[in-house]
Amino acid sequence: MQIEFTHKQSAHCENGVVSNLMRHNGFEVSEPMVFGIGSGLLFCYIPFLKVNHAPVVTYRAMPGFIFNRFAKRVGIKIKREKFSNPESAKTCLDENLKKNNPVGLQVGVYNLLYFPDEYRFHFNAHNLVVYGKENDNYLISDPVMEQVTSLTEKQLEKVRFAKGAFAPKGHIYYPTAFPEKLELKSAIIKGIKQTCREMTAPFPIVGTNGIKTISKLIRKWPKKKGPKVANHFLGQIVRMQEEIGTGGGGFRYIYAAFLQEASQILDNEKLKELSKEMTQIGDDWRDFAVNASRIYKNRSAQDDAYNKVADQLEAIANSEAAFFKKLKKAI
């Protein structure tokens, strides 16, 4: 069973899976467009949820939300299923492949053997496409990889039923119905409005307020937690931003590309200007990541290094607060 499927590499897994599945079904939608319409951009600090023994910091919407919102806004229908046992999950996957239907899967990263060792850690919200099966091997299109690859039945089962936070439980998803034409204009506006709402939300752990909260915590961690834990927590912020946010800059670059594309579809020059501004904010995030990584790798020669990276985050929070007010006005 091998479906004729075009693999295209992307910056981030969920956007890439959706874009590739849409292309397979005859609709050319870019990765940034999926991300923007799906209101993928976010910042959220979740102190009560731990991954790798550190609080979760996320720069994107929860796993699955991007595709759900995108589908609703452009008028496609999707089916999702989770399973209590691997055998049912395998049967469902095989049935779809027999129908020539490539599907998206949510998997754990730790046991993905084709990933480099430094990228394999306990994170269960990765996405890939299975587009066929040859003997005991499933054919895999993982959008963050340059080429297609494969996993055996046992290897795929292991990542589909990884344990821990966001356990996939064999999660499978795929589009089932499409409109004649995708209504992108209204979808773009809805996507932007939701992102503006969430990034300016009046809660201490969400949006620009969440960035300010993390900034304050970074100042306290060395004394309160000790250098070892403080460094580990700081490393988590950067890993979520640069490695899990595989486009870098905490997804800000992908959002900038979305705004540039949206400016042409909506004929709105202001969005093009704001795209450049968001690229600069992405650069600021990356500068923060470089300086923070020097601290947790014990390579920072600066005195008061924690306060200095906290200052950088505070400045980013202020830039983003001003940015999302302008973006809301622009549409």
Side-chain angles (χ1 to χ4, degrees):
M1 294 181 287
Q2 182 169 348
I3 301 159
E4 197 174 313
F5 185 82
T6 305
H7 171 83
K8 190 172 178 183
Q9 191 177 20
S10 66
H12 180 253
C13 63
E14 187 174 350
N15 314 319
V17 164
V18 177
S19 180
N20 284 341
L21 287 176
M22 291 298 292
R23 185 179 303 103
H24 179 76
N25 286 284
F27 297 91
E28 193 65 47
V29 186
S30 72
E31 177 196 3
M33 190 56 62
V34 170
F35 187 68
I37 289 174
S39 303
L41 193 77
L42 187 64
F43 183 91
C44 190
Y45 166 62
I46 314 172
F48 47 84
L49 183 63
K50 300 281 198 296
V51 170
N52 298 312
H53 310 290
V56 167
V57 175
T58 182
Y59 297 80
R60 52 155 286 186
M62 287 280 282
F65 280 26
I66 295 171
F67 196 9
N68 284 350
R69 292 164 178 169
F70 171 81
K72 187 178 178 184
R73 287 167 185 164
V74 301
I76 67 174
K77 289 183 179 170
I78 54 176
K79 185 171 183 180
R80 293 183 180 276
E81 286 184 77
K82 289 188 177 182
F83 305 89
S84 56
N85 69 80
E87 196 53 47
S88 303
K90 179 180 173 296
T91 301
C92 178
L93 173 59
D94 289 348
E95 282 172 359
N96 273 285
L97 295 177
K98 279 175 190 168
K99 294 174 190 169
N100 285 327
N101 187 33
V103 296
L105 297 182
Q106 181 188 336
V107 298
V109 166
Y110 188 73
N111 288 300
L112 278 180
L113 300 183
Y114 56 80
F115 262 33
D117 285 348
E118 60 269 26
Y119 286 97
R120 288 171 57 193
F121 56 100
H122 294 286
F123 176 72
N124 290 331
H126 188 60
N127 293 268
L128 51 79
V129 172
V130 178
Y131 68 94
K133 190 177 184 184
E134 288 179 351
N135 302 318
D136 183 35
N137 291 319
Y138 285 102
L139 307 178
I140 308 293
S141 165
D142 188 323
V144 303
M145 304 301 287
E146 201 171 338
Q147 305 291 341
V148 293
T149 185
S150 64
L151 291 169
T152 66
E153 287 183 357
K154 283 291 174 194
Q155 288 166 352
L156 187 61
E157 181 184 307
K158 200 166 188 180
V159 295
R160 290 186 76 188
F161 286 86
K163 303 284 189 262
F166 304 118
K169 297 177 183 173
H171 186 187
I172 186 172
Y173 57 92
Y174 48 91
T176 57
F178 301 87
E180 281 185 30
K181 187 184 173 199
L182 300 181
E183 187 46 66
L184 291 181
K185 286 186 179 180
S186 62
I188 287 168
I189 291 167
K190 284 174 186 171
I192 289 174
K193 282 183 175 177
Q194 180 167 356
T195 298
C196 290
R197 273 198 312 274
E198 290 177 347
M199 286 303 297
T200 57
F203 305 111
I205 63 170
V206 179
T208 55
N209 284 340
I211 302 170
K212 286 179 182 175
T213 296
I214 280 281
S215 169
K216 288 172 188 169
L217 287 169
I218 287 172
R219 298 180 198 280
K220 295 175 185 175
W221 281 341
K223 282 185 181 175
K224 195 174 177 183
K225 304 284 185 185
K228 189 178 179 184
V229 173
N231 281 2
H232 182 59
F233 282 11
L234 196 58
Q236 175 91 321
I237 297 170
V238 174
R239 175 174 263 184
M240 292 285 182
Q241 175 192 322
E242 291 298 318
E243 292 177 18
I244 298 174
T246 39
F251 296 95
R252 271 58 186 168
Y253 296 129
I254 299 176
Y255 202 73
F258 158 67
L259 290 176
Q260 188 169 18
E261 203 176 329
S263 74
Q264 295 171 337
I265 294 169
L266 298 179
D267 193 22
N268 184 333
E269 273 298 307
K270 188 66 183 165
L271 295 183
K272 196 174 181 181
E273 291 169 31
L274 288 168
S275 165
K276 291 172 187 170
E277 195 173 323
M278 180 50 81
T279 300
Q280 180 56 56
I281 291 171
D283 289 345
D284 294 341
W285 273 109
R286 185 150 275 179
D287 290 344
F288 158 77
V290 169
N291 292 331
S293 66
R294 285 186 185 132
I295 296 171
Y296 68 75
K297 290 175 182 173
N298 297 314
R299 291 177 190 158
S300 178
Q302 288 189 325
D303 295 328
D304 207 20
Y306 275 92
N307 277 326
K308 283 175 179 168
V309 293
D311 289 343
Q312 281 184 283
L313 272 192
E314 199 174 329
I316 288 168
N318 292 332
S319 297
E320 291 206 356
F323 173 87
F324 285 107
K325 281 176 188 169
K326 284 187 269 188
L327 180 57
K328 189 179 177 184
K329 265 188 189 173
I331 55 149

